[in-house]
Amino acid sequence: MLRVERADVDRLREIRAEWNGLVAAMARPSTFSTWEWIEAWWRHFGDAYEPVLLHFYRGETLVGILPLASRWMIVEDAALPTRTLLYCGSRELGSDHIDLIASASDAAECLAAAGTYLQWEFRDWDLLHFSHVAEDSRLLEWAEGNTVPFPVDSRVVSAAPYVDLSVGFDSYRMSLRKKKRKHLEGLAGQLFGGMGVEYWKCDPVEAKNAVRQLFDLHRLRAASLKRATVFEGERLIRFHEDIAVRLQQQGQLRLRFLRQRGVPLSAWYCFECHGRAFAYQTGMDPAWEKYGAGNLLLYEVIRESSEEGLKEVDLLRGGHYKGRWTKRSRALSTINMYNDTALARLARWGARWRTDFVHAVKQRSRRPTPQNREGEIAPEEM
């Protein structure tokens, strides 16, 4: 039987090697569960939270971590504020693929111990909220099983397209539509050959400045589309300056730009973690949209990832354009677990009412979706 300890942030800062060793043992490791990501989040955003860092021990050996944080808040779909437990970093940073940090062989036992602990020993909560959990995660497997001691609601909220590079870049390139391949080759000839554009890899000295340039390009692009963005604000910028330097020192930062005479035109902000690249954020000077600077940059990021032996580029959530790069994706779900409290029961009722109402409105306003001959949704033209 596992022993559960609720650790504080000081304890977190003492176990970097053990923590990342468990990340490496996960079935699908991601940057968003690493010690560097979670510890940096606590320094920049933790003042609004109470730590509920659950550590699972077999004897004296740490075998699992569920990094939670608590605060009063209203989460998506909820109708009122609750004492909410969240996965560290999932709200402010939009982390995808959050999961229990443990090996596949220890995951079920760790989650069973977490359920018992939250049911009987730590009861100062109403809602346990996991956002954008992947379809093959241990958390979703637990939530959809019959061992969770709480009422559970889960639903698919998005998808994360990914490029499979295990077959090599040439095979991937040939999987793209012929029209798209010719378009990308034409862009490369025009920008690299005729306009003096270069593919630039952020170096360690430039990491902080490059992050600022990324935010500037992202803001320009959002403004040109007249869209609001949550990727802004000085606190968030400082977090990403911090994590970019850390990951750069470990060879895990992939912040790439197209530049012309040193001026950034487009950016892709990616991380590497155990053989996979995670394409986290992008930005582009709107004046270069007509030249396809964003498309060409992503194509070069995928090419570089393959050449360096990575097996996958995960494009993460959001952006319908991502589906044009691959037919593969993983569903992402939101999970809500409710404690046995009056406020939790009221919150669940409110969330279900709101979900049913929104669904009914969408059904009434839905228009027919164009389909091709096989009955599938027609792909968008590039």
Side-chain angles (χ1 to χ4, degrees), residues 268-271 277-281 298 301 313-316 322:
W268 265 100
Y269 181 34
C270 311
F271 315 118
F278 295 91
Y280 180 72
Q281 192 54 272
L298 179 55
V301 166
V313 175
D314 193 319
L315 301 178
L316 303 177
K322 295 179 180 180

Side-chain angles (χ1 to χ4, degrees), residues 172-213:
Y172 164 70
R173 183 177 64 84
M174 293 305 296
S175 73
L176 299 173
R177 289 180 297 131
K178 183 177 180 180
K179 180 179 178 180
K180 189 176 185 74
R181 293 200 307 271
K182 291 185 66 176
H183 179 69
L184 290 166
E185 290 164 3
L187 290 178
Q190 181 183 14
L191 271 68
F192 293 146
M195 302 180 73
V197 172
E198 63 171 345
Y199 179 69
W200 184 70
K201 304 177 184 180
C202 170
D203 59 58
V205 177
E206 294 286 338
K208 285 190 175 183
N209 184 52
V211 166
R212 294 272 172 174
Q213 292 177 341

